[in-house]
Amino acid sequence: MENLNNQIFKIMAVLMCSFSCLILAQSDTNTEKQVRLVFNQLVSVYGSAKPQPKLEFVKKEKLPIQPARYSPSPNPKIEIDVALYKICQTFDKDSLNALAVVLSHELTHYYNDHTFCSDYAFANFKSNAELQKKIGQASYNARIEKESEADIKGFFFSAAAGFQPHGLQGLLIEKIYSNYKLADIQKGYPSKQERIVIAKNAENTAAQLYEHFKNGLSALENKQYDVAIELFTKANSQVPFRENWNNIGVAYARKALALKVSSKAEIENPVRFLYPLEVENKSRLLNERTRSLDDTTEEMVKLLNESQSAFEKALQLDPSFYKSRINLACVYDLQGKHNSAIAEITEKLPEEARASKEARRLLAIACYNAYMEEKAEKIWMELKM
């Protein structure tokens, strides 16, 4: 009987151990899944032509000296210590926001080609005395500059991705230093207190830039195009952002559209000739001219050139930003480059984007203006316009 009990006890012990391991494995899997979701959401907002860096997870019994770091070579990657997620969870409802702050900071290092300054709260060469000696004070100042840039852009893109990073930078650094048992002062690297000051100053700057972005959107919606252009330009001063450039292009194009002389076909069927750039075109069609046609044309040309330049800059940052591609096609059509507009839609957009209502509506307008009325009519019929 005693042997039987011992056997049962051993079997139960094995099962409990297996069950515990399974729970731990599931926990790690869920953590990695959550981190990847936040990571991918941030990458989509950065909108860069650079390929997405690899995301790797570090799992060690002892805490590594770096909770998160960007490694530029041999292949660009961002390493995240699984234990960092637990630190972020201590922020409760702000856990994902805290995680986004760290990930976005590291993504800024990657997208801006930073090398020596590549970890969130600690120096990756802290123990290399020879390297410290070579780098010297100039590089120390450069590190502070890059940390500040990563904090500013990291905050901005976190907010742009829909997270709420406000007030988290300094608290995160405090918790990371505490949990990872990092010394407050390390040779060749800002002290903990300096790092917190850098982060808070950067957050104030980034918050103002993001405010410009949001206010620019409101101005654009309210047809205050000059105000919108000024605000988006201010936001772009430190964070060149594809959405900023796209919105600048939209503002210039809408200003140009207000000057456009409407054709008979547009007046008779305004819905068909509503450019994807426009909210509505009734005011444009009813607009009375108070200036000569020559003056209007000259100003419209200038505005469309500015608009084209802005959309091209958005596409330089992210060639797959199809919203700007369609908007650029609108500008080409307004400039009289109807075949170029058609080519942007039919040759440079992937099939899924070509099938969107915005792309097909613009294609119909460009075809009509390029004297392909039958093709335009077919598209409009398909769109039930």
Side-chain angles (χ1 to χ4, degrees), residues 154-172:
F155 180 101
F156 184 95
F157 285 110
S158 293
F163 296 100
Q164 300 293 327
H166 304 269
L168 295 177
Q169 297 259 41
L171 294 174
L172 256 174

Side-chain angles (χ1 to χ4, degrees), residues 142-304:
R143 288 174 68 82
I144 291 179
E145 183 180 335
K146 287 179 170 57
E147 279 297 340
S148 182
E149 182 181 8
D151 283 341
I152 291 171
K153 293 183 178 179
F155 180 101
F156 184 95
F157 285 110
S158 293
F163 296 100
Q164 300 293 327
H166 304 269
L168 295 177
Q169 297 259 41
L171 294 174
L172 256 174
I173 293 170
E174 286 277 12
K175 287 200 174 188
I176 286 172
Y177 268 78
S178 174
N179 281 269
Y180 283 80
K181 296 180 172 55
L182 304 176
D184 287 3
I185 298 176
Q186 294 291 337
K187 187 177 179 182
Y189 194 76
S191 68
K192 182 182 79 170
Q193 196 53 44
E194 287 174 323
R195 182 69 186 85
I196 290 172
V197 170
I198 291 169
K200 288 184 177 179
N201 288 341
E203 182 173 320
N204 291 336
T205 299
Q208 184 61 62
L209 293 172
Y210 189 66
E211 198 65 22
H212 290 326
F213 173 67
K214 289 197 301 180
N215 290 338
L217 291 175
S218 297
L220 190 61
E221 187 177 344
N222 293 324
K223 302 181 183 179
Q224 298 171 305
Y225 301 130
D226 289 331
V227 174
I229 291 166
E230 181 182 357
L231 289 167
F232 289 131
T233 301
K234 284 182 179 179
N236 252 357
S237 64
Q238 292 193 52
V239 188
F241 181 34
R242 65 178 187 181
E243 289 284 358
N244 280 332
W245 283 119
N246 180 74
N247 293 333
I248 288 171
V250 169
Y252 276 118
R254 286 184 183 176
K255 280 191 71 175
L257 274 165
L259 302 173
K260 185 177 184 299
V261 177
S262 303
S263 67
K264 182 183 177 187
E266 288 179 295
I267 295 171
E268 291 176 349
N269 201 332
V271 175
R272 285 187 169 186
F273 291 91
L274 180 65
Y275 282 88
L277 288 160
E278 296 177 274
V279 179
E280 50 82 18
N281 62 359
K282 291 179 183 176
S283 58
R284 168 166 68 86
L285 296 174
L286 297 173
N287 204 12
E288 292 184 5
R289 303 288 164 212
T290 57
R291 286 171 290 181
S292 71
L293 190 59
D294 287 342
D295 289 342
T296 298
T297 301
E298 184 178 351
E299 185 176 351
M300 188 174 174
V301 167
K302 289 179 181 178
L303 291 169
L304 289 174

